Amino acid sequence: GEIAPLLETAEVKIRIADLLSRYPVAQGALLEVLWVAQDAIGWLPHEAIRWAADVCKCSAAHAYGVATFYTMYKHAPTGRFLLQFCHNISCHLRGAESMLQYARRVLDLKPGETTKDGLFTIVEVECLAACGNAPAMIVNDDFATNVENGELTLKPG
Amino acid sequence: MQDSMKVCTGNFGKHAQSIDAYKKLGGYSTISKSLFEMSQFEVIDRVQRAGLRGRGGAGFPTGMKWSFVPRNTGKPVYIVVNADEGEGGTYKDHFLLLEDPHRLIEGLIIAGWALGARTAYIYARGEFLPCIESVNKALNEAYAAGYLGENIMGTKFSFDIFVHRGAGAYICGEETALINSLEGQKGQPRLKPPFPAVAGAWASPTCVNNVETIMSLPWIFSHPVEEYTKMGTPRAHGTKVFCVSGDVKRPGLYEAPLGTPLMEMLTSEEYCQGIIGNLKGVIPGGSSCPPLLPEECQNATLDYECMASLKTMFGSGAIIVFNDTHNAVDILDVLGHFYSHESCGQCTPCREGTGFAKRVLDAIMRGEGHDGDIELLQGISAGFGGTTICPLSISLGGPLNVYTRKYRADFEEYIAKNPNHAE
Ligand SMILES: NC(=O)C1=CN([C@@H]2O[C@H](COP(=O)(O)OP(=O)(O)OC[C@H]3O[C@@H](n4cnc5c(N)ncnc54)[C@H](O)[C@@H]3O)[C@@H](O)[C@H]2O)C=CC1
Ligand SMILES: Cc1cc2nc3c(=O)[nH]c(=O)nc-3n(C[C@H](O)[C@H](O)[C@H](O)COP(=O)(O)O)c2cc1C
Ligand code: SF4
Ligand code: FES
């Protein structure tokens, strides 16, 4: 339906051809092809998973299994800003819990939920490999570190 | 340490990301006719003489692993860089990739030549988009400069490097899970043996090495071997990139010789500049390593052998410090949540045991613990040994056993909060 055109652009075709050339077997490209679909659509509807299976010459059942194994593939749309709060050990030691509580209070959300206006989704995630600047979080694709309540310092890395 | 003796982080803060800057700092000096005049055997021998040990956590000798890769099987040899860094407290690879991507490429060319590989994959965890951009930009520059691609420097050696982006699963850092993920499957570990060096990606010989391991190679090949072996301890040569987090005044990445005293790392001006509050424990090598009590820290040195003698692990160099404002039940509960969430589910003891331990810990945290829960947690731990495909289960098992013994009073105090604890 509305999804097919997003996956049939010239840009997507070029990316797919490049990806398939990198692996001895098409299935090797499956994770990357799912990323291409998620980048184009914003999440992974069933149709996109079946499309990725076709591209990578594997069964739809296999592609569903893979798409649901990894936590970064989204199976429903999220808010425009996806706030991912690390709750692993180093961040926990440095106040991650109170940071999450702050976000929950301000946005009136539980982890996994999206605000009614579709702007913010909050989730708890595991160690982001930024533990020296704890507490850490990721806002969409950008790392935010040394986060304090009410203030986010956004910087790459 | 002087920058010139830093094996991996000497270019930090020097804007080495572009190929021109990297070359001005001495980069790519090892990629020359003289490298390609060395035989594969000579290259591997040099890595063995340097005594480089894998920096991903297990410390397996890198040259020995390379020597296990069979030749002339008719199958291609693959090199895979493990950039899936996800063990709580570990963040060195993240910054190595951001700050100095060309050093990784230079190291990979050396490894590629040594192993007779045509293709390398850099398996980067899905969250590392800024790193992936940094590496891809460097790769484009290296191709344009003729360091990668067909017939490098007019030799018969052709070599490609591709980045493969993961999608969020801690277990994919385990090398056989990583290989399954590279093949487009769920990231579930395989039984070893066969080791990947013999049969890995697409059943071909595959060498999986950590980012820091590969990034050590350019320094090793541009200095006399003795320069490297004179740093460190007799059984662990060279330097290590330590990543310190938790209750210290100046957390951060510090490269230091192996064998550096732990307390020097935590308190000296050069490194962390002191502990915040009263020290209660130090996790020496990432969240799976049992913690050291303050008295055990006093004479501890940062190397594989000392940590093994203290019944913990050197691991990935991730030092996590906690003071006495933290409760051991709370810390172990965080670990229980993590490892049970990340269990891939293949082995019953791991899938069920990690979840069971988490529920027991959650109950103790809520003030609903019972007498005997400590022994219960220790029993769960005992059930992991040798019963699972990969060591993820014992990554929780070790801590379950050791926190409950070393900080038993914390657990008893929480359990006593339940008015019916004796029932
Ligand atoms: N950096 C990080 O984020 C994390 C690191 N770790 C570390 O991982 C370590 C465990 O890793 P494993 O791969 O399970 O350890 P391992 O001891 O099974 O293997 C270490 C390396 O040596 C190779 N090897 C060992 N014996 C071999 C043989 N006979 N022939 C050929 N190759 C051989 C393996 O293939 C592997 O590459 C732990 O010590 C832990 O510290 C664990 C979690 C995360
Ligand atoms: C659960 C688990 C997770 C692991 N995660 C990583 C990781 O993120 N990075 C890494 O380099 N090694 C990790 N390892 C170790 C790898 O299996 C393997 O030993 C390492 O990549 C080999 O490289 P090296 O010899 O250069 O250290 C992990 C091991 C286990 C059991
Ligand atoms: S021990 Fe756990 S993570 Fe490792 S293979 Fe078994 S179930 Fe999977
Ligand atoms: S524990 Fe939060 S980034 Fe590592």
Side-chain angles (χ1 to χ4, degrees):
Chain A
E2 316 134 30
I3 288 157
L6 297 172
L7 299 174
E8 280 162 12
T9 64
E11 194 200 329
V12 166
K13 284 192 176 126
I14 293 168
R15 271 186 78 185
I16 295 296
D18 176 39
L19 289 171
L20 290 174
S21 75
R22 297 175 171 204
Y23 302 89
V25 178
Q27 189 185 286
L30 183 56
L31 267 71
E32 291 281 3
V33 170
L34 288 168
W35 276 121
V36 170
Q38 181 157 306
D39 286 349
I41 302 165
W43 59 291
L44 289 178
H46 287 202
E47 197 183 331
I49 297 174
R50 286 195 296 269
W51 169 83
D54 274 350
V55 169
C56 298
K57 299 190 174 57
C58 61
S59 72
H62 177 83
Y64 276 109
V66 170
T68 51
F69 182 83
Y70 299 92
T71 55
M72 292 180 77
Y73 294 130
K74 301 179 200 160
H75 301 283
T78 53
R80 219 170 95 208
F81 298 100
L82 176 63
L83 310 182
Q84 303 173 260
F85 292 87
C86 174
H87 68 170
N88 209 303
I89 181 150
S90 307
C91 291
H92 185 80
L93 292 172
R94 303 302 298 162
E97 182 67 27
S98 81
M99 189 175 89
L100 177 70
Q101 295 307 337
Y102 175 84
R104 287 182 62 158
R105 206 171 56 243
V106 172
L107 298 172
D108 192 21
L109 292 179
K110 286 204 223 27
E113 292 178 347
T114 303
T115 49
K116 286 201 190 71
D117 58 10
L119 271 184
F120 296 100
T121 303
I122 61 176
V123 288
E124 289 179 282
V125 294
E126 299 304 345
C127 177
L128 296 169
C131 336
N133 301 313
M137 63 184 294
I138 293 183
V139 181
N140 292 344
D141 294 333
D142 294 320
F143 281 77
T145 51
N146 293 317
V147 186
E148 286 178 32
N149 289 349
E151 173 227 52
L152 295 181
T153 338
L154 285 175
K155 59 180 176 193
Chain B
M1 275 193 94
Q2 279 174 310
D3 277 358
S4 62
M5 296 306 280
K6 288 181 182 163
V7 174
C8 290
T9 62
N11 286 346
F12 272 42
K14 295 180 186 165
H15 308 286
Q17 288 88 349
S18 77
I19 194 165
D20 292 338
Y22 181 68
K23 288 179 79 168
K24 278 206 190 89
L25 291 161
Y28 287 116
S29 66
T30 66
I31 309 305
S32 66
K33 284 266 175 311
S34 63
L35 173 70
F36 299 116
E37 277 159 18
M38 285 170 87
S39 70
Q40 297 184 351
F41 172 79
E42 285 170 314
V43 180
I44 294 175
D45 180 60
R46 183 161 176 149
V47 176
Q48 273 183 317
R49 277 188 294 123
L52 175 64
R53 294 171 66 170
R55 301 301 194 225
F60 194 82
T62 304
M64 191 191 296
K65 181 153 82 185
W66 290 9
S67 73
F68 291 155
V69 173
R71 311 286 151 165
N72 310 319
T73 58
K75 291 180 180 171
V77 173
Y78 294 106
I79 301 178
V80 183
V81 178
N82 191 338
D84 195 51
E85 188 169 61
E87 169 103 336
T90 315
Y91 57 95
K92 64 196 177 67
D93 300 339
H94 184 177
F95 291 93
L96 287 167
L97 294 171
L98 278 181
E99 287 272 338
D100 209 1
H102 281 287
R103 193 188 291 271
L104 180 69
I105 297 170
E106 184 175 349
L108 272 175
I109 298 169
I110 298 171
W113 175 247
L115 295 167
R118 177 69 175 79
T119 309
Y121 297 97
I122 300 171
Y123 187 103
R125 63 178 287 185
E127 291 86 351
F128 276 0
L129 265 190
C131 301
I132 292 173
E133 279 166 23
S134 155
V135 171
N136 274 332
K137 188 172 154 289
L139 283 173
N140 288 338
E141 290 177 332
Y143 272 102
Y147 290 120
L148 293 173
E150 303 290 323
N151 302 105
I152 295 165
M153 299 188 130
T155 64
K156 285 199 188 123
F157 180 54
S158 301
F159 190 54
D160 286 310
I161 304 177
F162 303 116
V163 177
H164 179 100
R165 184 180 178 198
Y170 162 76
I171 191 59
C172 288
E174 195 283 332
E175 57 179 4
T176 60
L178 185 150
I179 288 169
N180 273 336
S181 184
L182 183 68
E183 292 183 357
Q185 308 193 53
K186 291 181 191 171
Q188 292 184 311
R190 302 174 179 173
L191 261 178
K192 298 192 282 194
F195 285 92
V198 176
W202 300 287
S204 282
T206 303
C207 197
V208 182
N209 273 123
N210 176 255
V211 170
E212 188 186 346
T213 311
I214 298 292
M215 285 181 74
S216 303
L217 298 169
W219 198 96
I220 290 174
F221 278 78
S222 57
H223 293 75
V225 168
E226 307 75 55
E227 290 279 300
Y228 190 77
T229 56
K230 82 179 182 207
M231 294 190 285
T233 72
R235 292 188 58 193
H237 299 153
T239 62
K240 177 78 186 77
V241 182
F242 295 98
C243 30
V244 192
S245 63
D247 298 322
V248 291
K249 294 201 176 120
R250 198 175 64 152
L253 281 184
Y254 302 104
E255 183 165 348
L258 282 152
T260 299
L262 170 60
M263 290 315 286
E264 180 183 333
M265 178 56 62
L266 299 184
T267 58
S268 81
E269 274 306 297
E270 187 178 357
Y271 304 124
C272 299
Q273 302 183 349
I275 290 152
I276 300 173
N278 296 318
L279 185 62
K280 178 164 178 174
V282 174
I283 302 167
S287 62
S288 61
C289 302
L292 296 172
L293 292 168
E295 57 269 27
E296 293 173 304
C297 295
Q298 293 314 316
N299 296 319
T301 53
L302 294 166
D303 56 80
Y304 304 93
E305 282 68 33
C306 178
M307 290 304 163
S309 75
L310 291 167
K311 299 201 167 52
T312 181
M313 292 173 297
F314 179 71
S316 56
I319 303 172
I320 308 166
V321 180
F322 55 95
N323 65 23
D324 65 3
T325 65
H326 299 288
N327 190 290
V329 185
D330 185 36
I331 295 175
L332 192 57
D333 191 42
V334 169
L335 301 185
H337 276 258
F338 173 54
Y339 289 105
S340 62
H341 179 253
E342 301 299 334
S343 169
C344 84
Q346 287 189 101
C347 320
T348 310
C350 173
R351 184 187 62 241
E352 304 301 324
T354 55
F356 185 23
K358 176 188 81 168
R359 288 188 294 276
V360 172
L361 286 162
D362 280 349
I364 300 176
M365 280 292 285
R366 284 194 309 266
E368 294 168 14
H370 289 90
D371 293 349
D373 280 354
I374 294 176
E375 288 68 28
L376 182 58
L377 291 170
Q378 291 170 348
I380 296 171
S381 164
F384 292 145
T387 61
T388 59
I389 294 173
C390 92
L392 182 131
S393 57
I394 51 170
S395 299
L396 180 63
L400 283 175
N401 186 27
V402 177
Y403 285 83
T404 51
R405 281 194 297 109
K406 289 189 178 171
Y407 303 105
R408 190 176 177 107
D410 284 12
F411 290 83
E412 287 171 343
E413 188 190 317
Y414 262 77
I415 290 169
K417 287 183 186 172
N418 180 0
N420 304 318
H421 63 85
E423 269 176 22

